[in-house]
Amino acid sequence: MAPSVAVENLNPKVLKCEYAVRGEIVIHAQRLQQQLQTQPGSLPFDEILYCNIGNPQSLGQKPVTFFREVLALCDHPSLLEKEETKSLFSADAISRAKEILAAIPGRATGAYSHSQGIKGLRDAIAAGIASRDGFPANADDIFVTDGASPGVHMMMQLLLRDEKDGILCPIPQYPLYSASIALHGGTLVPYYLDEKTGWGLEISDLKKQLEDARSKGIDVRALVVINPGNPTGQVLAEDNQCDIVRFCKNEGLVLLADEVYQENIYVDDKKFNSFKKIARSIGYGEDDLPLVSFQSVSKGYYGECGKRGGYMEITGFSAPVREQVYKIASVNLCSNITGQILASLVMNPPKVGDESYAAYKAEKDGILQSLARRAKIHLPQKAIEAAKAANKAPDAFYALRLLESTGIVVVPGSGFGQVPGTWHIRCTILPQEEKIPAVITRFKAFHEAFMAEYRD
Amino acid sequence: MAPSVAVENLNPKVLKCEYAVRGEIVIHAQRLQQQLQTQPGSLPFDEILYCNIGNPQSLGQKPVTFFREVLALCDHPSLLEKEETKSLFSADAISRAKEILAAIPGRATGAYSHSQGIKGLRDAIAAGIASRDGFPANADDIFVTDGASPGVHMMMQLLLRDEKDGILCPIPQYPLYSASIALHGGTLVPYYLDEKTGWGLEISDLKKQLEDARSKGIDVRALVVINPGNPTGQVLAEDNQCDIVRFCKNEGLVLLADEVYQENIYVDDKKFNSFKKIARSIGYGEDDLPLVSFQSVSKGYYGECGKRGGYMEITGFSAPVREQVYKIASVNLCSNITGQILASLVMNPPKVGDESYAAYKAEKDGILQSLARRAKIHLPQKAIEAAKAANKAPDAFYALRLLESTGIVVVPGSGFGQVPGTWHIRCTILPQEEKIPAVITRFKAFHEAFMAEYRD
């Protein structure tokens, strides 16, 4: 009898998901990975290390103290009855933990919550959104999730019926979207960020890609916009956002706004505007545009990837459609309470006057400044010239050399947008913890050799 | 232009999921719910409250102190450097937290982990399994998950290609399986637990249902067995488990063993045996049977539903198939670290000689004894006779009356198996926290009226 479970009889969507990771460096990395399998020993390393997703705490970034104080008190509330606690925890962490516990029925941080998340925490998140945007937000619109990814999967599961349903996605993009679209059996309709408009979304290109897809019989359901685009600073201009909002309304598209990098802006003259704020600013209400905003505790200065917290704010969906979203959420019962608490904290951090404020502000600024510094590489002029000769952007040249020498996959900043004359790589660590020391060692050795080779 | 997102253009699998909840009481409840929509005010209540999933901490069950001490220390590790901590936390919680932090690269409880979970925690889980079963367990076989549900979804996503793929599931069952099969587009092939064999799985019935499904062109991929079946005590006999294991091997089925209730055994002469232990006991190795065991921190005496922790142990899958499981896991990055830590703790609780042991043992025994007491209802003889006259089991009679009077949906114990002459209901609280006080009030009033009506 044939084996009951073999690659040949698995869900083909799962198998297909493998081919959904895009971008020049990643595709080159996959080629090298194949080479390693067919010709072991043919490269100066024996495995590929994908460092293209962000994991700051694994690289030594410390969590924000206030957040962790509150989590510890909520995990073990009997600490609140002890005298020693006052000397171990800040006063506002103690009062915040008490507020949160009071918002949870039975103070039960170990109970399943409402499938959208604990109501009191959603109230806090909605208040944080309203204060950020200057427009009202409603706790009933908030679905607290285990990070942004499950929210994205839920929307793909909701919208995609078969391969004739498409989602407009930016290229290059974080592989979450391509993977999720593949897993749910839809079609990724790519659009390209335009360097000439400061890596804005050129509406004419969006329109072209949309019409192209429609001419092939694809029913395009939604547009994914990632804004800010990544930690190196691509922030859409307000005008561009207005055009995107109008485009979605006119074309009948759901706007899926990935806004997880809302705190990662390193340029003084740029400002984050949520798509909901933009839509409301131009007078669009609930009936004009189905809009989902994703936020995560993993990004920004919080960097709490392992806590798996986040939310999606859903507006402009009819009640029956929203019920279907609720049903999908309820099949997984609820997101983890620790992540729910963190999501409420990142949207309502300490304020001026709170005991923790000074320490919180110092930690936040330190992390953001350090991220901004680390986002840049100072490349010698010779390396820039060598890159030019190879017809590559200098950071792409660096990234390709890094990959070929070490197997480490990073994303060049030129694929994301950067201030002219500065070069960036997005270098992060995938969750294969036992490999982290090797990454650091190999990366350091490569960088030293590269800088020596191209010393001015 | 038609609305861009409407119920009519959503994924039909999501819509279908709605009809996947089964069982007499739940179907009756759905009927009443429809009646409330079409004829408001026609019933003595104005909404249906589904109390058919378990959520002990929302009803006042306290978490195990040791577990929460360790979580708080891992959330805020700088506590470990403070003198006051020694008086606030037990010595073994402190040493366990240190061990756990040492097992996490960079002590980073806020970093994404390996997509299967932190290696050191998987080692601890594997050690717990090995000590429970007396057979080796391997950390590479463990996938730590956000509770058991995501693990079940991952397996359904892996195995189900289309509606011609079927999964054998017990009826009645927890709606997770029907919902997950519907969401992933497969077919639920029901089998029925047999009262005459102490609610065992009659192999002849399994075989009949399997052949029946095959004759309809269904490719049956897996058998779901929930053992123990629910908190009231249905525990499969060892012989029956051996037959099930052989049946799966002979029929080429993946055995999906839902073992989340492994600590919920309230009868002295019954004992939990994992299916892996049974398979190994009869000499089956890796090549004989693809077997997945699900465990959760939500059940047992732990009851940590909101922490979303659990794992699946996968054995007997080929390396290429396991890679596909890993890929699905990696699309969601990793499960939450708090839940991962808890999963390692429930599989390695304090031991004799540890400072916390006495307190831990007292808390555990108290919870399990209280659950055992609460699992039974003492019904008056007159009620039993009234049930007989209505051709119902007494607890089903009670559950139907409860539903009709209050809208509260519980599961009668007669659908799960119980000691003759005892009656049970599975009464639990769904995550709609704001409704909990109403449930308690309505339930109490109903119970008093019922007992008064049938007083002996």
Side-chain angles (χ1 to χ4, degrees):
Chain A
M1 151 165 263
S4 56
V5 55
V7 169
E8 295 68 36
N9 60 24
L10 299 181
N11 179 355
K13 294 173 190 169
V14 170
L15 300 176
K16 194 180 167 199
C17 183
E18 188 149 42
Y19 305 109
V21 176
R22 302 187 183 219
E24 183 196 358
I25 296 284
V26 176
I27 289 167
H28 188 50
Q30 288 170 332
R31 224 177 282 132
L32 293 177
Q33 194 162 34
Q34 282 196 320
Q35 185 182 332
L36 280 173
Q37 278 166 355
T38 52
Q39 302 157 257
S42 65
L43 293 170
F45 43 85
D46 52 25
E47 63 176 339
I48 299 292
L49 295 165
Y50 291 90
C51 300
N52 43 346
I53 65 162
N55 201 9
Q57 291 192 28
S58 78
L59 290 169
Q61 181 179 309
K62 294 283 164 244
V64 172
T65 304
F66 175 79
F67 296 164
R68 295 306 192 96
E69 287 183 314
V70 176
L71 291 187
L73 292 168
C74 290
D75 269 342
H76 192 37
S78 69
L79 288 174
L80 293 165
E81 294 148 27
K82 303 284 172 59
E83 196 52 40
E84 298 95 318
T85 298
K86 288 180 197 157
S87 67
L88 281 175
F89 292 84
S90 64
D92 53 337
I94 290 172
S95 59
R96 185 69 74 94
K98 285 180 177 167
E99 274 171 39
I100 288 170
L101 289 167
I104 302 178
R107 302 160 59 88
T109 53
Y112 292 125
S113 73
H114 188 293
S115 292
Q116 285 184 238
I118 291 164
K119 175 67 163 51
L121 300 179
R122 284 186 282 129
D123 285 334
I125 291 168
I129 295 171
S131 130
R132 181 195 69 195
D133 290 348
F135 288 95
N138 187 337
D140 292 341
D141 295 340
I142 308 296
F143 285 72
V144 189
T145 52
D146 290 313
S149 302
V152 170
H153 293 313
M154 281 162 73
M155 294 314 303
M156 297 305 169
Q157 187 160 41
L158 184 80
L159 294 172
L160 296 172
R161 291 162 294 188
D162 54 42
E163 70 286 354
K164 287 287 174 196
D165 278 340
I167 306 285
L168 268 162
C169 280
I171 294 296
Q173 50 96 37
Y174 175 61
L176 167 65
Y177 291 97
S178 45
S180 189
I181 292 167
L183 276 177
H184 292 100
T187 293
L188 187 147
V189 180
Y191 69 88
Y192 300 89
L193 300 176
D194 181 32
E195 189 169 8
K196 290 189 296 294
T197 60
W199 301 101
L201 273 68
E202 193 61 51
I203 300 294
S204 58
D205 181 54
L206 278 182
K207 181 88 183 160
K208 187 184 157 300
Q209 301 298 337
L210 176 66
E211 282 170 1
D212 210 45
R214 283 179 177 162
S215 73
K216 291 175 190 150
I218 303 290
D219 184 354
V220 180
R221 310 298 313 274
L223 168 69
V224 172
V225 181
I226 307 172
N227 179 53
N230 87 356
T232 59
Q234 165 221 321
V235 186
L236 293 178
E238 222 174 304
D239 281 0
N240 197 192
Q241 287 186 276
C242 292
D243 290 344
I244 291 165
V245 163
R246 287 190 195 100
F247 175 78
C248 287
K249 179 177 158 70
N250 295 339
E251 300 293 348
L253 300 176
V254 177
L255 177 51
L256 300 175
D258 182 333
E259 300 181 324
V260 301
Y261 295 111
Q262 56 190 265
E263 298 278 0
N264 296 90
I265 298 182
Y266 308 118
V267 190
D268 285 340
D269 61 346
K270 303 253 177 165
K271 185 180 175 305
F272 169 71
N273 292 298
S274 77
F275 272 103
K276 191 177 136 215
K277 175 183 171 183
I278 296 291
R280 298 292 174 270
S281 305
I282 61 171
Y284 281 15
E286 280 281 337
D287 294 338
D288 293 299
L289 183 71
L291 169 62
V292 183
S293 164
F294 301 97
Q295 165 67 318
S296 165
V297 304
S298 304
K299 312 299 174 191
Y301 59 89
Y302 358 108
E304 293 277 17
C305 307
K307 295 296 183 185
R308 313 309 295 120
Y311 69 79
M312 48 181 181
E313 183 190 16
I314 297 183
T315 51
F317 279 29
S318 68
V321 172
R322 188 192 294 242
E323 267 170 37
Q324 300 299 321
V325 182
Y326 180 80
K327 191 169 65 184
I328 298 176
S330 66
V331 171
N332 265 325
L333 303 166
C334 65
S335 64
N336 83 87
I337 305 296
T338 304
Q340 292 192 24
I341 293 172
L342 255 177
S344 82
L345 296 176
V346 305
M347 297 308 287
N348 298 277
K351 292 186 174 52
V352 178
D354 292 347
E355 183 181 308
S356 290
Y357 182 75
Y360 156 76
K361 182 82 170 43
E363 289 176 352
K364 173 181 170 175
D365 292 348
I367 291 166
L368 288 175
Q369 283 157 16
S370 161
L371 285 173
R373 277 196 303 277
R374 276 181 281 164
K376 286 188 195 168
I377 331 168
H378 294 279
L379 293 181
Q381 194 54 36
K382 266 195 199 158
I384 294 169
E385 282 155 20
K388 217 172 181 175
N391 201 23
K392 299 273 174 215
D395 45 12
F397 177 74
Y398 180 95
L400 276 169
R401 285 286 304 269
L402 177 67
L403 172 58
E404 285 167 354
S405 310
T406 65
I408 298 173
V409 187
V410 299
V411 189
S414 49
F416 290 81
Q418 52 197 352
V419 176
T422 68
W423 315 111
H424 311 75
I425 55 163
R426 175 171 162 86
C427 169
T428 56
I429 300 294
L430 187 108
Q432 291 174 292
E433 64 220 31
E434 57 276 26
K435 292 174 185 162
I436 288 169
V439 173
I440 307 287
T441 309
R442 280 151 65 176
F443 203 141
K444 187 161 174 282
F446 164 79
H447 187 72
E448 284 166 3
F450 183 94
M451 297 308 264
E453 182 177 350
Y454 294 106
R455 186 167 293 128
D456 287 330
Chain B
M1 153 163 262
S4 56
V5 54
V7 169
E8 295 69 36
N9 60 23
L10 298 182
N11 178 356
K13 292 173 192 169
V14 170
L15 300 176
K16 194 181 165 198
C17 181
E18 187 148 46
Y19 306 109
V21 176
R22 303 188 181 216
E24 183 194 359
I25 295 283
V26 176
I27 289 168
H28 188 50
Q30 289 170 332
R31 225 177 280 132
L32 293 177
Q33 194 163 33
Q34 282 197 319
Q35 184 182 330
L36 280 173
Q37 279 167 355
T38 52
Q39 303 158 258
S42 65
L43 293 171
F45 44 84
D46 52 23
E47 63 176 339
I48 298 293
L49 296 166
Y50 290 92
C51 300
N52 42 347
I53 64 161
N55 200 9
Q57 291 191 27
S58 78
L59 291 168
Q61 180 178 309
K62 295 283 163 246
V64 171
T65 304
F66 175 79
F67 295 164
R68 293 307 193 95
E69 286 183 314
V70 175
L71 291 187
L73 292 168
C74 290
D75 271 343
H76 193 36
S78 69
L79 289 173
L80 292 166
E81 294 148 26
K82 305 284 172 61
E83 196 53 40
E84 298 95 318
T85 298
K86 288 182 196 154
S87 67
L88 281 174
F89 292 84
S90 63
D92 52 336
I94 291 172
S95 58
R96 184 70 73 95
K98 286 180 178 169
E99 273 171 40
I100 288 171
L101 289 167
I104 303 178
R107 300 162 60 90
T109 53
Y112 293 124
S113 73
H114 188 292
S115 292
Q116 285 184 238
I118 292 164
K119 175 65 163 53
L121 300 178
R122 285 186 282 130
D123 285 334
I125 290 168
I129 295 170
S131 129
R132 179 195 71 195
D133 290 349
F135 288 94
N138 188 336
D140 293 340
D141 295 341
I142 308 295
F143 286 71
V144 189
T145 51
D146 290 312
S149 302
V152 170
H153 294 313
M154 282 163 72
M155 294 314 304
M156 295 305 170
Q157 188 160 39
L158 184 81
L159 294 173
L160 295 172
R161 291 162 294 187
D162 55 41
E163 70 285 355
K164 287 288 175 196
D165 278 339
I167 306 285
L168 268 163
C169 281
I171 295 295
Q173 50 94 38
Y174 176 61
L176 165 65
Y177 291 95
S178 45
S180 189
I181 292 168
L183 276 177
H184 292 100
T187 294
L188 187 147
V189 179
Y191 69 87
Y192 301 89
L193 300 176
D194 182 32
E195 190 168 8
K196 292 188 295 295
T197 59
W199 301 100
L201 274 68
E202 192 63 49
I203 300 294
S204 59
D205 181 55
L206 279 182
K207 181 87 183 161
K208 186 184 158 301
Q209 301 297 338
L210 175 66
E211 282 171 359
D212 211 44
R214 284 179 175 163
S215 73
K216 293 174 187 150
I218 304 290
D219 184 353
V220 180
R221 310 296 313 273
L223 168 68
V224 172
V225 180
I226 308 172
N227 180 53
N230 87 356
T232 58
Q234 166 222 321
V235 185
L236 293 178
E238 222 174 303
D239 280 0
N240 197 190
Q241 287 186 275
C242 292
D243 289 344
I244 292 164
V245 163
R246 286 190 196 101
F247 174 78
C248 286
K249 177 176 161 69
N250 294 339
E251 300 292 348
L253 301 176
V254 178
L255 177 51
L256 300 175
D258 182 334
E259 300 182 325
V260 302
Y261 295 110
Q262 56 191 264
E263 297 277 0
N264 296 91
I265 298 182
Y266 308 118
V267 191
D268 285 339
D269 61 348
K270 303 253 177 164
K271 186 181 174 303
F272 168 72
N273 292 298
S274 77
F275 272 103
K276 190 176 137 219
K277 174 182 170 183
I278 296 290
R280 297 293 175 269
S281 306
I282 62 171
Y284 281 17
E286 279 280 337
D287 294 338
D288 293 301
L289 184 72
L291 168 62
V292 184
S293 164
F294 301 97
Q295 165 67 321
S296 167
V297 305
S298 304
K299 312 300 173 190
Y301 58 91
Y302 358 108
E304 293 277 17
C305 306
K307 295 296 183 184
R308 312 309 295 122
Y311 68 81
M312 49 182 180
E313 183 191 16
I314 297 184
T315 50
F317 280 29
S318 68
V321 172
R322 187 190 295 238
E323 267 170 37
Q324 299 300 320
V325 182
Y326 180 81
K327 191 169 65 186
I328 299 176
S330 66
V331 171
N332 264 325
L333 303 166
C334 66
S335 64
N336 83 88
I337 305 295
T338 304
Q340 292 192 24
I341 293 172
L342 255 176
S344 82
L345 295 176
V346 305
M347 297 308 286
N348 298 278
K351 292 187 173 53
V352 179
D354 292 346
E355 183 182 308
S356 290
Y357 183 74
Y360 155 77
K361 182 79 168 45
E363 289 176 351
K364 171 181 170 174
D365 291 349
I367 290 166
L368 288 174
Q369 283 158 16
S370 163
L371 286 172
R373 278 196 304 276
R374 277 181 282 164
K376 284 188 196 171
I377 332 167
H378 294 278
L379 293 180
Q381 194 55 36
K382 265 193 198 161
I384 293 169
E385 282 155 18
K388 215 172 182 174
N391 201 21
K392 298 271 174 215
D395 45 12
F397 178 74
Y398 180 95
L400 277 168
R401 286 285 304 271
L402 176 68
L403 172 59
E404 285 166 354
S405 311
T406 64
I408 299 172
V409 187
V410 298
V411 188
S414 49
F416 289 79
Q418 52 198 351
V419 176
T422 68
W423 314 111
H424 311 75
I425 56 165
R426 176 173 163 83
C427 169
T428 56
I429 301 293
L430 188 108
Q432 290 175 292
E433 63 221 29
E434 56 276 26
K435 291 174 185 162
I436 289 170
V439 172
I440 307 287
T441 310
R442 280 151 67 176
F443 203 142
K444 187 162 175 281
F446 164 79
H447 187 71
E448 284 166 3
F450 183 93
M451 296 308 264
E453 183 179 348
Y454 294 107
R455 185 165 293 127
D456 287 329

